[in-house]
Amino acid sequence: MLTPDPLESAAREALSPESFAYIAGGSGDEVTLRANTAAWRAYALRPHVLRDVVETDLTTTVVGTPLAAPIGIAPTAMHKLVHQDGELATARAAAAAGALMTVSMFANHSYADVAEAMDGAPFWAQMYLLRDHGLTRELAVRAKEAGARALVVCVDGAAVPRRSRFAGGAFVPPKGLAFPNVREIGLTKAITGLDRAMTFDDLTLFPEWTGLPIVVKGVQRGDDAARCAAAGAAGIVVSNHGARQFDGCTPTAAVLGEIVDAVAGNAEVYVDGGIRSGSDGVKALALGARAVFAGRPPLWALAAHGEAGATAWLHDFAEDIARVLAFCGCRTPGEATRDLVARAWPPPHG
Ligand SMILES: Cc1cc2nc3c(=O)[nH]c(=O)nc-3n(C[C@H](O)[C@H](O)[C@H](O)COP(=O)(O)O)c2cc1C
């Protein structure tokens, strides 16, 4: 299950070519897309031996929310492209595995319906700031009322991306998909309605509206991350949106350490982008991430093997992290420290 290529190939078989391209693809020449996975492999682990690792414990908290393992499902749009139950299936898989679910603003189910499917298990609600702040406020309040433990404010939407696998640069979703979180304006108006004048000062709007902690997603530099923390962010997701916004930015593995240092403990730091194995996850933890998020792999598992497949992928991923931690002499995620990570030699290919 964990080996990404067979899983991705199985998903390709299960999906329409357009849906597969929407999920798999990135922007431009997809250099950053390839770099995101390759950059984790450009690190190698330097394991400790002869430490008692009989009692391992993967549990952690993210902004105070307890998790069975330091893993989460990144917010991704339109899960009905891959499964008839859409985000309800993904959310049930996350709940079963004790992983954190993040629900996209562009989900095919409302935050409230996802919450009901999770039966009290924790989820975060991802949002963008729309130019219509009143509507954004309503959406944020709905997320809070549904029980979201935090709002994930995605800030990497400063321009309209060009997805290279589509002739017009954008995927056109099949007719009939519902986008209930943005039901007042519909998907297209929501996407074109992002507030591109947003600055650090606007981050405080979300906690003012809801009292919920915010996690700022899409940060790629230490200086920006420090400003987000200063603006009150409880968490930062180091992310380049799975290389889907623009090509040629740094892979997240390469900037995680800088960002952890710049934030200096003033917010929790998480990371996504190209994380595919327990080794990738442990490298991220060792570089200072408190938890890691996966976008495409759970969708591949859901497409190819249904809800049980997504649950199995999450279980396997957590188990692989536990195994690699133990091989490195660590009983808990917190014991993974930066000295475990070195530059790989010889440099990896691809
Ligand atoms: C199909 C797809 C849809 C996505 N939709 C959203 C979204 O609606 N909101 C968001 O903040 N990020 C979105 N992302 C970005 C993911 O949250 C995450 O940053 C990225 O997938 C991580 O990289 P990975 O796929 O290599 O794990 C999307 C990613 C994919 C693959």
Side-chain angles (χ1 to χ4, degrees):
M1 282 294 288
L2 262 181
T3 323
D5 291 346
L7 192 57
E8 188 172 324
S9 305
R12 185 197 290 264
E13 296 287 307
L15 294 172
S16 73
E18 293 76 22
S19 295
F20 179 81
Y22 169 67
I23 297 164
S27 52
D29 292 331
E30 301 190 338
V31 173
T32 301
L33 181 66
R34 288 186 292 278
N36 266 356
T37 42
W40 294 109
R41 291 163 197 178
Y43 290 115
L45 289 162
R46 304 192 59 210
H48 283 289
V49 293
L50 295 172
R51 293 183 168 196
D52 176 355
V53 289
V54 172
E55 306 256 319
T56 58
D57 179 6
L58 276 194
T59 58
T60 190
T61 59
V62 285
V63 192
T65 295
L67 297 178
I71 60 178
I73 294 184
T76 51
M78 312 187 222
H79 292 195
K80 279 214 171 192
L81 288 178
V82 300
H83 192 281
Q84 60 187 6
D85 289 350
E87 287 78 9
L88 304 184
T90 330
R92 288 191 292 253
L100 185 73
M101 172 72 185
T102 317
V103 187
S104 165
M105 181 167 167
F106 304 135
N108 299 129
H109 293 276
S110 66
Y111 298 131
D113 286 349
V114 173
E116 198 183 322
M118 296 195 75
D119 201 17
F123 74 96
W124 288 350
Q126 179 265 321
M127 304 187 52
Y128 294 92
L129 182 65
L130 300 168
R131 280 194 300 278
D132 185 339
H133 287 195
L135 184 56
T136 320
R137 180 193 177 131
E138 278 177 40
L139 178 57
V141 169
R142 287 209 293 266
K144 182 197 165 89
E145 285 170 359
R149 309 284 179 103
L151 298 178
V152 176
V153 181
C154 188
V155 296
D156 60 15
V160 180
R162 276 189 168 205
R163 304 271 160 80
S164 40
R165 298 194 192 194
F166 297 97
F171 171 67
V172 181
K175 291 218 173 354
L177 282 187
F179 296 93
N181 292 328
V182 292
R183 60 180 174 243
E184 292 88 347
I185 51 173
L187 179 68
T188 310
K189 281 198 180 145
I191 290 173
T192 55
L194 303 194
D195 189 349
R196 303 192 201 283
M198 183 180 186
T199 67
F200 291 98
D201 293 338
D202 295 311
L203 290 173
T204 52
L205 290 172
F206 294 88
E208 276 164 30
W209 290 334
T210 62
L212 285 176
I214 60 162
V215 172
V216 181
K217 173 171 181 280
V219 178
Q220 300 192 46
R221 301 173 51 106
D223 49 4
D224 284 357
R227 290 189 68 181
C228 290
I236 312 273
V237 185
V238 179
S239 174
N240 55 31
H241 212 106
R244 298 164 72 81
Q245 301 299 71
F246 77 102
D247 199 20
C249 54
T250 41
T252 50
V255 294
L256 173 60
E258 169 197 311
I259 290 175
V260 168
D261 292 345
V263 169
N266 292 315
E268 294 182 355
V269 178
Y270 324 105
V271 64
D272 72 24
I275 296 170
R276 300 292 178 261
S277 68
S279 289
D280 295 343
V282 171
K283 289 168 189 173
L285 297 172
L287 288 166
R290 190 166 177 90
V292 300
F293 287 81
R296 294 176 182 88
L299 292 181
W300 297 150
L302 193 62
H305 307 294
E307 183 181 321
T311 310
W313 187 83
L314 288 164
H315 274 303
D316 285 358
F317 185 35
E319 211 177 273
D320 205 30
I321 288 178
R323 178 177 23 253
V324 176
L325 278 176
F327 274 126
C328 289
C330 305
R331 287 164 304 178
T332 64
E335 285 183 1
T337 46
R338 202 171 287 180
D339 57 289
L340 288 183
V341 174
R343 282 276 152 203
W345 189 262
H349 299 287

